[in-house]
Amino acid sequence: MEKNKEIARIFERMADMLEFLGDNPYRINTYRRASEVLSELGEDVEELLRRGKLRQIHGIGESTLEKIKEYLSKGSISAYEDLRKKVPEDLLELLDVPGLGVKTLRLAYDRLKVRNKEDFIKAVRSGKLAFLPGMGEKKVQNILRGLELWEKSKERMSLLQAYELGQSLLKHFEALRELYEGIQLAGSLRRRRETVGDIDLLISAERGSWAKLHLHFVEYPGVKEVVLHGETKSSIVTQEGRQVDLRTVEPEHWGAALQYFTGSKEHNVRIRDIAKAMGLKISEYGVFRADTGERVGGKEEEEVYNLVGMEWIPPELRENTGEIELAMAKKLPRLLELKDIRGDFHMHSNWSDGLHSLEEMVQACYELGYQYMVIGDHSQSSRVAKGLDPSRYREQFKLIERLRAYYEPRGFYILKGCEVDILPDGSLDLPEDLLEEFDFVVASIHSKFNQDNTYRVLKAIESPFVNLIGHPTGKAYGTREGYPLDMEKVLRTAKETGTALELNIHRADLSPENIRRCMEAGVTIAIVTDAHSVKHLSYMELGVGLARRGWAVPELVLNAKDVEGVREFVRKKRELMLGKV
Ligand code: DGT
Ligand code: CA
Ligand code: CA
Ligand code: ZN
């Protein structure tokens, strides 16, 4: 699927360039849409073209189809190459900076003769930009904050980016499946840390295969630079500037190597100290007796832990924050697992800002093997997200009822839901009589991110009809820092009212630290993909990892309940808050 990504990136750039040149908005939109469609496509674009299916995809028209064909046959698109001669491409890279748009860049280009990134950043920092028409201090402050977030996100990728890159690498190695015994993503990605510096890929194979594996690695289609090409270790940098390290180990050493390269460093240091005190020595090659040097284990990761008197520790907990003591006492909690997940609570269809139809989202959830799903399109005040007004929701109810007739006999339940905006005064964007008709309500803040929003969240929690607070702290890695929030109060009120807090996979909000606080306070969380396309639904595995990193147990995760349990959760809150139903 590397080709999908490459072409999507080119179309996105073309749209930016056309916008910079002041081209026709319709044309600009065509490229943006095609880019979005391609990056969300679940299938390989080349494959679709071969089967003659590409033209049928909504969002791919005659002219974009021609350009896709051109790219697939020649490796470039002439219209794109022409545009590159007309615009300062380097400057346009700044469009990734949150809060920075084409208009501002164009203004700086025309009035300050800014031609590249460095020039622009200088113009902002020196204060020159602030004097241009329509700019001012406040806007410049926003851009400065955006630049800071952007620079930080270049150093470390978000967990979601790392996960996608990791999946793509695993896929790349499927072609050589017969050459190795085991393959695993290790390091901070395996631990599901919120941000990942580089990706550590580990393969166990007989020595005779190593050269071929390393060669295949440096030929990964997304490579920009090969930093190191060896027989045991290689490193590449991808087009997006992300580093991946590959290490090959002998099958005998697999467990010890995996344990070592998963980290964290703090965890490993502790484990090694404990081993030492027992007369053992742990290295990436195995566990050894310190006196004789005899190897006593290390083929399986579990052995390493067992030999030092511990239960195996889930990677998500390996930070030396209490997991080692519990593992020694054999008292680690039974963490949530992917197989516990029965449904998803927050997703969008093309009724609001999703890419796919409601029918497609339903079918996809059904195919994931879930027992239920909640559709949660945006409410009216989210204009950019094409939010629904009450009459549209009621129309959607009719469609849901028709779909139920097909799915319910198959044991699959579609719950009527919404993602209702929490307005600036804390009230909800939909009338109570409608809220009451939903089976499940998610309420979220989508405005005024720069103020303390505790009062808004609390007010929403106190509504009898709100079951889940969407992305509670408002942060989004690389884009937004999140508003100040009195978590203590939020947790207490959520617990008292029987309201769940969302773990939104896209935004990694709640953070693992906050999940852990929920678990300690006895507050239920719900893991949601917030899917805007069918593809996003598959990120649930990552959400489970994030939850595990916050020590989540199935008893306090709404997705682990069956559909009756979910209905009971909703009913109980209404009873509590209204006195009856
Ligand atoms: P990252 O890449 O910054 O997100 O974090 P990690 O944890 O993936 O760190 P990385 O890639 O430098 O190394 C991968 C693992 O290798 C790390 O988690 C533990 C192990 N490791 C690396 N350097 C050391 C070290 O100096 N001592 C010990 N005990 N382990 C190390
Ligand atoms: Ca790493
Ligand atoms: Ca590394
Ligand atoms: Zn939202």
Side-chain angles (χ1 to χ4, degrees):
M1 310 262 274
E2 276 308 305
K3 290 275 189 317
N4 298 23
K5 236 163 71 186
E6 285 163 21
I7 303 172
R9 192 163 35 212
I10 292 177
F11 283 169
E12 174 73 33
R13 276 288 171 250
M14 287 179 77
D16 292 342
M17 289 167 162
L18 289 168
E19 199 178 344
F20 187 82
L21 295 171
D23 206 274
N24 156 4
Y26 176 79
R27 212 157 80 123
I28 295 167
N29 210 22
T30 307
Y31 286 112
R32 278 216 205 294
R33 171 108 186 128
S35 167
E36 193 192 357
V37 168
L38 280 174
S39 49
E40 302 303 330
L41 212 57
E43 277 174 275
D44 187 59
V45 60
E46 213 160 5
E47 179 60 33
L48 282 168
L49 182 68
R50 197 164 19 225
R51 299 209 319 266
K53 289 262 156 74
L54 198 55
R55 180 64 182 88
Q56 291 156 21
I57 289 173
H58 208 70
I60 306 284
E62 267 326 317
S63 100
T64 38
L65 182 70
E66 282 314 311
K67 293 188 176 66
I68 293 172
K69 282 187 190 157
E70 188 186 346
Y71 186 82
L72 291 176
S73 64
K74 295 200 308 211
S76 65
I77 296 173
S78 56
Y80 172 58
E81 299 306 324
D82 290 346
L83 279 171
R84 292 176 74 179
K85 289 180 200 130
K86 291 189 206 146
V87 299
E89 217 182 350
D90 178 74
L91 182 64
L92 291 193
E93 278 176 32
L94 288 173
L95 288 173
D96 291 338
V97 175
L100 193 54
V102 170
K103 263 202 205 109
T104 306
L105 291 180
R106 181 78 220 201
L107 193 67
Y109 178 88
D110 289 339
R111 308 285 286 257
L112 302 174
K113 304 281 169 268
V114 155
R115 291 294 177 269
N116 55 42
K117 278 189 291 225
E118 284 69 47
D119 286 358
F120 182 82
I121 294 171
K122 251 186 246 155
V124 183
R125 298 225 160 106
S126 69
K128 267 198 228 157
L129 190 70
F131 292 109
L132 295 184
M135 290 309 295
E137 244 348 279
K138 209 173 149 198
K139 275 200 180 153
V140 170
Q141 281 307 321
N142 253 334
I143 294 173
L144 277 171
R145 204 160 11 180
L147 279 170
E148 231 168 81
L149 287 166
W150 176 69
E151 269 161 12
K152 237 195 268 169
S153 73
K154 278 198 300 187
E155 280 162 30
R156 298 183 65 82
M157 54 198 128
S158 72
L159 180 61
L160 187 65
Q161 282 173 327
Y163 175 79
E164 289 215 290
L165 177 51
Q167 295 302 311
S168 161
L169 287 159
L170 291 179
K171 201 144 192 214
H172 178 63
F173 274 100
E174 273 172 18
L176 299 189
R177 189 61 199 90
E178 71 289 354
L179 289 188
Y180 55 85
E181 268 186 33
I183 182 164
Q184 270 264 15
L185 297 157
S188 49
L189 173 56
R190 184 168 183 234
R191 302 197 313 279
R192 302 304 194 215
R193 196 176 152 185
E194 279 181 285
T195 64
V196 171
D198 65 10
I199 293 197
D200 304 281
L201 184 62
L202 201 61
I203 296 183
S204 81
E206 297 303 335
R207 266 178 192 275
S209 308
W210 288 8
K212 276 190 198 143
L213 289 163
H214 283 273
L215 186 62
H216 189 63
F217 178 61
V218 300
E219 285 172 348
Y220 175 68
V223 169
K224 187 167 83 185
E225 191 194 337
V226 177
V227 182
L228 177 74
H229 182 181
E231 282 268 302
T232 56
K233 188 183 165 182
S234 296
S235 291
I236 56 167
V237 174
T238 67
Q239 296 291 348
E240 290 93 1
R242 305 307 186 182
Q243 181 160 332
V244 185
D245 298 339
L246 168 70
R247 285 187 188 78
T248 41
V249 302
E250 287 183 52
E252 260 315 286
H253 302 152
W254 173 247
L258 184 59
Q259 198 283 328
Y260 178 84
F261 290 112
T262 296
S264 66
K265 198 170 156 187
E266 293 72 20
H267 173 92
N268 287 355
V269 167
R270 234 352 253 299
I271 299 279
R272 282 161 184 225
D273 283 347
I274 290 167
K276 216 177 190 173
M278 296 172 75
L280 295 169
K281 189 178 164 294
I282 299 180
S283 77
E284 57 263 54
Y285 301 105
V287 184
F288 303 86
R289 280 183 51 174
D291 49 0
T292 63
E294 181 202 350
R295 185 167 186 264
V296 289
K299 182 163 173 29
E300 302 302 330
E301 195 180 48
E302 193 158 7
E303 268 174 22
V304 177
Y305 286 99
N306 293 166
L307 283 165
V308 292
M310 296 176 202
E311 338 171 44
W312 176 81
I313 300 178
E316 296 90 342
L317 304 187
R318 298 184 193 171
E319 298 293 339
N320 191 24
T321 57
E323 78 282 6
I324 292 175
E325 291 72 13
L326 286 170
M328 284 199 279
K330 313 239 167 16
K331 283 200 173 121
L332 282 171
R334 184 334 213 147
L335 298 181
L336 179 81
E337 292 171 32
L338 185 59
K339 68 172 166 48
D340 297 321
I341 302 291
R342 314 287 313 265
D344 193 342
F345 292 90
H346 178 171
M347 67 189 70
H348 302 272
S349 73
N350 63 8
W351 283 62
S352 64
D353 61 346
L355 186 67
H356 290 117
S357 68
L358 179 58
E359 292 89 332
E360 286 169 312
M361 295 304 278
V362 168
Q363 177 62 22
C365 285
Y366 175 66
E367 284 171 16
L368 282 173
Y370 289 156
Q371 191 198 15
Y372 56 86
M373 65 182 287
V374 181
I375 190 74
D377 278 312
H378 287 284
S379 64
Q380 49 204 8
S381 76
S382 280
R383 291 233 167 72
V384 275
K386 295 195 293 157
L388 276 56
D389 65 17
S391 68
R392 290 281 287 158
Y393 279 114
R394 290 202 164 95
E395 253 178 78
Q396 197 182 53
F397 288 173
K398 285 187 202 144
L399 172 58
I400 291 174
E401 274 149 28
R402 280 205 299 282
L403 293 170
R404 280 176 175 176
Y406 174 84
Y407 287 97
E408 281 192 14
R410 288 166 173 78
F412 183 68
Y413 298 85
I414 308 161
L415 303 188
K416 295 173 188 164
C418 63
E419 182 183 15
V420 61
D421 264 35
I422 303 174
L423 300 173
D425 68 355
S427 64
L428 299 171
D429 187 32
L430 293 171
E432 288 226 328
D433 64 326
L434 176 62
L435 288 173
E436 197 173 352
E437 287 183 48
F438 289 107
D439 297 307
F440 193 90
V441 172
V442 183
S444 316
I445 287 179
H446 290 121
S447 59
K448 300 206 183 288
F449 286 97
N450 294 326
Q451 59 173 37
D452 187 316
N453 279 314
T454 309
Y455 72 99
R456 290 166 83 189
V457 171
L458 292 182
K459 199 162 167 197
I461 289 179
E462 272 153 14
S463 157
F465 306 110
V466 169
N467 307 111
L468 180 64
I469 299 296
H471 39 82
T473 71
K475 75 179 178 102
Y477 182 67
T479 319
R480 223 184 274 126
E481 269 178 289
Y483 37 75
L485 189 70
D486 185 339
M487 207 39 165
E488 212 53 54
K489 272 193 193 151
V490 170
L491 289 171
R492 195 175 339 118
T493 321
K495 165 97 178 152
E496 282 166 6
T497 54
T499 311
L501 301 184
E502 179 180 275
L503 165 48
N504 185 305
I505 300 167
H506 266 267
R507 304 165 179 239
D509 179 14
L510 298 167
S511 67
E513 292 72 39
N514 279 326
I515 305 269
R516 208 166 168 182
R517 290 176 75 179
C518 287
M519 295 299 121
E520 280 157 11
V523 170
T524 300
I525 62 161
I527 306 171
V528 313
T529 55
D530 191 0
H532 284 70
S533 74
V534 163
K535 184 180 129 192
H536 297 158
L537 291 168
S538 64
Y539 294 156
M540 187 55 83
E541 178 198 11
L542 184 58
V544 170
L546 278 165
R548 286 163 64 87
R549 196 168 164 82
W551 294 62
V553 293
E555 296 74 27
L556 286 174
V557 176
L558 205 53
N559 315 57
K561 293 187 193 295
D562 63 10
V563 70
E564 245 333 291
V566 173
R567 290 193 195 281
E568 176 66 16
F569 184 84
V570 172
R571 196 156 52 224
K572 259 177 132 165
K573 179 168 184 186
R574 291 189 184 189
E575 270 170 22
L576 179 75
M577 309 298 281
L578 298 169
K580 60 173 173 52
V581 182

